Every structure is written in structure tokens, then in C-alpha cells.
Amino acid sequence: MRILEATKIYKNYGNKFNKQEVLKGIDISVEEGEFVSIMGASGSGKTTLLNVLSSIDKVSNGTIRIDGKEMTGMKEKQLAEFRKNHLGFIFQEYNLLDTLTVKENILLPLSITKVSKKVADQKFKEVATELGIYDLKDKYPNEISGGQKQRTSAARSFIHQPSIIFADEPTGALDSKSASDLLNKLSELNRKRRATIIMVTHDPVAAGYCSRVIFIKDGQMYTQLNKGEESRQAFFNDIMKTQAVLSGVQNEH
């Protein structure tokens, strides 16, 4: 089932005298349960694309449908409601509230719904256990490591079982071991929960955990790679080759 469909997406900044066209007619579709990565050089438009797909920013032109609902025509109040129920977010800088415990941070998306305390506690236990942070539930963000903070952020994004989780450079502030731990956990949750994840990353190692990688260049779709039955190492090698071509680096013979 197709969970996201974006058609002829344009995004401009500035005015008619000084217009910067960042996205230039991109078409993207994502199936339910996919783990998709968006890659591209700095300034390619990949973060802008994630922002418009996730409703953080508005498109200048084009349509975006998530779960069969067109977001581009929604009023701000409708959009806020849709975001609350259907979307999850993982940010590079964690975006945790320092005055709340790990458990309280994770439960935030459920605190604005009508879920009972018993159900909320059960959901918390499940997702926190899956991400290996259940024992940290009473600690505050300043008492845990960067990797643990990011897994807390991931748990918060999964807890209300959204249609899509958007991840913006989720491993960008982590060391290699913490990044690997997080990506393994995201892959597990993607498989177990059929969670749909769209992740922007500059890191080919992180992209290697995905089922598909979309490459953006100068605000347009450049190409895409499907993992299929390939091993993660073989897929990583393919990503590296595509990145080299994308940046104009030719292999020496």
C-alpha cells in the first residue's frame, strides 16, 4: 500500500525579483513499511524535501498525500491535528525536554490524546524495551549519553504508531558505535512494526540500513537504488559508487 505520494513538488524562497528555486518538480512515492533514505550533497535540497514532506514547511507548488489524505490543502489547525496523529519525528539534536524524565519525554505524544494511563504505560514499556532504554526511564536527559538521548527521541516518535516517521540526520551527532546501535534498533522496529521511515542522511553507512536510497541533485531527483536481496555491505558499495558519480569523482582504472 502506498503511504506517501508527492507529485511535482516545487519549493521557492525569496520573491519574484530574487527567487531561489530549491526543489524543482520532484515526484516521490513511498510504500507502507519501507525504510527510505534521501541523500545528496549539501545544498541539494534534501532537507528542504524532508521538511515539506513532513509538513514542517509548505510547498510552493505540488501535492503531497499521506495515508490517502492531501496535506497541501489543509488549514493550519487541520495540519496540526494530522501531524499529531499520523507523523513522528527524530531530529539530529534530539529535541528532548530537560525538565522531563526519559519516560515523560517518550510519553509526550500520548499526553495530548485520550489514551488511558494503563495503555500509555504498556506502550511505553514495549517501545522503551525494544530500544534498550527501559531502565533509564527515571533519568533526565542530562544524565544519559548522546546515543541514549537519540534512542529516547526515537521511542517518542514510535510510541503513537504514526503512519510515517521522518528522521533528519538522526546519527549526525553520534559516535560510530551509538550510530550503529540506533540504526540497528530502527531497522528492527521497521521490520517488527512495519513502521515507515524516511531518513535524510549524508552518511552512506546509515543509508546502507535502508531498503531504498533516493539521491537528490540540484533540487531534482537524480537516481535511486533498491537494496533488494543485496547484503548491507554490497548495498553500501553501490551507494558509495553512486555518491562518487554524483559528486563528479571518477574511479581510476
Side-chain angles (χ1 to χ4, degrees):
M1 177 184 143
R2 191 162 288 175
I3 197 90
L4 179 145
E5 189 154 19
T7 309
K8 297 284 183 290
I9 298 301
Y10 288 84
K11 179 62 184 178
N12 308 321
Y13 292 103
N15 54 43
K16 63 182 179 180
F17 302 108
N18 183 24
K19 187 167 78 169
Q20 183 190 6
E21 205 172 39
V22 181
L23 301 178
K24 305 169 185 175
I26 289 180
D27 294 331
I28 284 182
S29 62
V30 175
E31 298 295 314
E32 185 178 13
E34 271 199 286
F35 189 172
V36 177
S37 176
I38 300 171
M39 298 190 79
S42 181
S44 61
K46 62 184 185 295
T47 300
T48 300
L49 179 60
L50 188 83
N51 287 345
V52 297
L53 292 178
S54 63
S55 78
I56 288 173
D57 204 352
K58 288 184 182 295
V59 296
S60 300
N61 240 311
T63 57
I64 299 169
R65 297 177 75 85
I66 292 180
D67 246 358
K69 298 175 182 67
E70 191 182 325
M71 289 165 49
T72 34
M74 288 183 185
K75 300 277 188 277
E76 199 51 53
K77 193 174 179 183
Q78 292 174 297
L79 203 52
E81 192 68 19
F82 183 83
R83 206 181 283 132
K84 180 176 80 176
N85 294 314
H86 293 273
L87 307 182
F89 298 90
I90 307 173
F91 300 99
Q92 181 176 338
E93 298 301 330
Y94 323 128
N95 282 25
L96 301 177
L97 297 178
D98 292 336
T99 54
L100 300 182
T101 63
V102 164
K103 181 177 180 179
E104 289 165 342
N105 267 289
I106 291 170
L107 285 173
L108 271 177
L110 295 184
S111 67
I112 49 177
T113 66
K114 294 178 181 175
V115 172
S116 69
K117 186 179 184 302
K118 185 180 178 182
V119 171
D121 283 344
Q122 183 58 37
K123 283 177 179 285
F124 164 76
K125 187 174 182 180
E126 285 171 10
V127 75
T129 301
E130 284 178 285
L131 279 158
I133 50 174
Y134 182 72
D135 291 343
L136 304 175
K137 61 183 184 295
D138 296 322
K139 291 190 177 291
Y140 288 87
N142 65 353
E143 298 175 317
I144 60 177
S145 70
Q148 291 165 337
K149 286 178 188 175
Q150 195 58 295
R151 278 185 275 154
T152 300
S153 177
R156 181 184 57 194
S157 75
F158 276 95
I159 192 137
H160 60 304
Q161 295 174 289
S163 304
I164 301 181
I165 289 162
F166 292 98
D168 186 6
E169 298 277 12
T171 61
L174 303 180
D175 61 61
S176 57
K177 185 186 182 305
S178 298
S180 175
D181 288 347
L182 176 71
L183 290 161
N184 277 315
K185 294 295 185 186
L186 290 180
S187 297
E188 278 176 38
L189 287 166
N190 168 248
R191 281 196 308 274
K192 281 185 190 173
R193 295 176 173 238
R194 294 278 301 153
T196 307
I197 305 171
I198 300 176
M199 173 176 76
V200 159
T201 184
H202 67 279
D203 181 3
V205 174
Y209 284 78
C210 299
S211 52
R212 180 161 59 110
V213 181
I214 295 168
F215 292 89
I216 303 294
K217 183 177 183 179
D218 299 330
Q220 294 178 305
M221 174 90 78
Y222 176 75
T223 190
Q224 56 184 320
L225 296 174
N226 287 287
K227 185 179 181 189
E229 299 302 312
E230 277 191 305
S231 68
R232 189 184 300 155
Q233 182 61 48
F235 193 43
F236 166 78
N237 291 339
D238 289 345
I239 293 165
M240 289 293 287
K241 286 175 193 168
T242 305
Q243 266 198 318
V245 173
L246 190 60
S247 58
V249 177
Q250 299 300 321
N251 290 327
E252 292 183 6
H253 295 289

